[in-house]
Amino acid sequence: MVTPPSPLPPAADAVPLDPLLRVEADARRARRPYRVLGLAEVRRNYREIQMGGSPGAAIAAIEDDAIGDRARTLPVRIYRPMKTPRPPLVIYFHGGGFVIGDLDTHDRNTRGIAAATGATVVSVAYRLAPEHPFPAAPDDAMLAVRGAPEIARRLGADTSRIFVAGDSAGATLALVAAIAARDTNGTRLAGVVAIYPGVSRISSTATASALAFGDGNFGLSNDDIAWFREQYLPDKASHEDWRAAPALVPNLAGLPPTFIVVAAYDALRDEGIAFAERLRDSGVAVELRVAAGMNHGFMGAPKPPAAVNDTLRAIGQWMSDLPR
């Protein structure tokens, strides 16, 4: 059964895939599929692509550190904004299907968030599959959010304005960490930023957007998604765990204000829209932004389209407008 897409703004339907992203999507389509390339080559190719291109926004300082507790610590990279007294703190989780990506590959993303929001951004190096399958990544995300108040105090950030954010797999982790914080009376979060998250039941690719854009002609394919999930979720029982698919959580009430970004040409688009609608129906203050002409991963594109800065400005304005 095909799940119909949510209505999109006319502009999102009308605007073709951005030419910069079309070049990248065509180049990716010309390469062998992830499952044929193998893990080492997928990681190497992704790193080479992401480390090229635009250097990203200018910020005041970057430093490496760690966050955690006595049992375990996680490497983090701290991005300090330009001249912001007592800035907000953003705990950021990078994308990459829980399998690829690192602090370096997502440097543009974290620089952009710091510059646009005036926040101190703490980018977290959570453990990756298949070396560390589920639930290692969500465990690390929860650990990072539990430690956020202490690192905020240490960095001179505003402990009353702690946000959690991420893109793709990292957006999923941000949502998971926010749900866990709600359920355990943990760190009080000011908001969540989830950029093209994957939230649905693991076996489902039956949304209209997955059928329309999952063939590989627009970048991320359904087969790529399946390959990531095979690495991350080798135990079939985990497919029914809400920490792998936040849409399985029966009750979303009580979550902090949430900003969700979806890309018009993304196989994951419709599940992100449906999750935003569920949040709204649950009484959560949610803002949904559909990036017209964009595909999955556009926020970290080596040659960023104009929509990247537009989206960053919208996130910054949203954070600034939230009640304190």
Side-chain angles (χ1 to χ4, degrees):
M1 178 179 179
V2 176
T3 303
S6 297
L8 294 180
D13 280 329
V15 176
L17 185 64
D18 185 278
L20 289 173
L21 299 179
R22 169 49 64 197
V23 170
E24 291 182 14
D26 289 346
R28 179 169 177 173
R29 183 178 54 181
R31 291 191 294 272
R32 290 175 294 168
Y34 283 170
R35 66 176 63 255
V36 176
L37 284 173
L39 178 63
E41 193 168 350
V42 171
R43 283 177 172 168
R44 182 168 56 250
N45 288 351
Y46 184 73
R47 186 173 174 84
E48 287 176 358
I49 292 167
Q50 293 304 114
M51 295 298 288
S54 166
I59 57 171
I62 298 176
E63 60 193 271
D64 289 337
D65 205 330
I67 190 171
D69 56 26
R70 292 181 179 179
R72 187 172 78 258
T73 59
L74 302 169
V76 299
R77 186 163 294 163
I78 299 167
Y79 294 76
R80 293 183 181 268
M82 299 285 192
K83 298 180 180 177
T84 304
R86 220 162 163 264
L89 184 79
V90 174
I91 302 293
Y92 192 89
F93 303 108
H94 67 77
F98 309 99
V99 175
I100 61 178
D102 55 37
L103 301 182
D104 295 329
T105 62
H106 284 67
D107 179 74
R108 269 189 298 273
N109 300 59
T110 42
R111 282 176 176 268
I113 292 286
T117 65
T120 295
V121 179
V122 178
S123 185
V124 180
Y126 58 89
R127 290 171 292 172
L128 298 178
E131 296 88 347
H132 303 282
F134 176 89
D139 284 349
D140 288 353
M142 296 174 197
L143 175 65
V145 170
R146 285 198 302 272
E150 175 55 34
I151 200 167
R153 284 188 286 271
R154 180 153 60 85
L155 297 175
D158 187 344
T159 57
S160 69
R161 298 183 68 212
I162 296 173
F163 294 81
V164 62
D167 66 281
S168 193
T172 307
L173 294 177
L175 291 167
V176 168
I179 294 166
R182 176 201 66 176
D183 292 348
T184 62
N185 197 25
T187 299
R188 185 175 178 83
L189 296 171
V192 182
V193 178
I195 302 170
Y196 32 78
V199 297
S200 73
R201 184 180 299 273
I202 299 307
S203 60
S204 174
T205 55
T207 63
S209 62
L211 294 172
F213 309 124
D215 59 3
N217 290 319
F218 299 90
L220 183 71
S221 71
N222 291 332
D223 189 63
D224 294 337
I225 295 169
W227 180 81
F228 282 130
R229 287 169 172 168
E230 289 162 15
Q231 314 307 306
Y232 179 52
L233 299 162
D235 180 358
K236 294 293 178 63
S238 63
H239 296 193
E240 302 300 320
D241 192 311
W242 71 268
R243 295 171 298 170
L248 294 175
V249 174
N251 178 20
L252 297 177
L255 289 175
T258 303
F259 191 107
I260 292 181
V261 179
V262 298
Y265 291 92
D266 184 3
L268 299 179
R269 182 196 71 191
D270 287 353
E271 63 186 74
I273 293 173
F275 195 77
E277 292 171 344
R278 273 196 63 203
L279 285 168
R280 185 175 292 118
D281 290 345
S282 300
V284 177
V286 62
E287 182 159 338
L288 172 66
R289 183 178 181 88
V290 179
M294 297 294 108
N295 64 1
H296 192 88
F298 78 92
M299 290 295 292
K303 294 182 179 178
V308 172
N309 281 335
D310 293 342
T311 303
L312 288 169
R313 280 193 292 268
I315 292 169
Q317 188 63 56
W318 174 80
M319 286 177 57
S320 178
D321 289 346
L322 287 176
R324 302 191 187 184

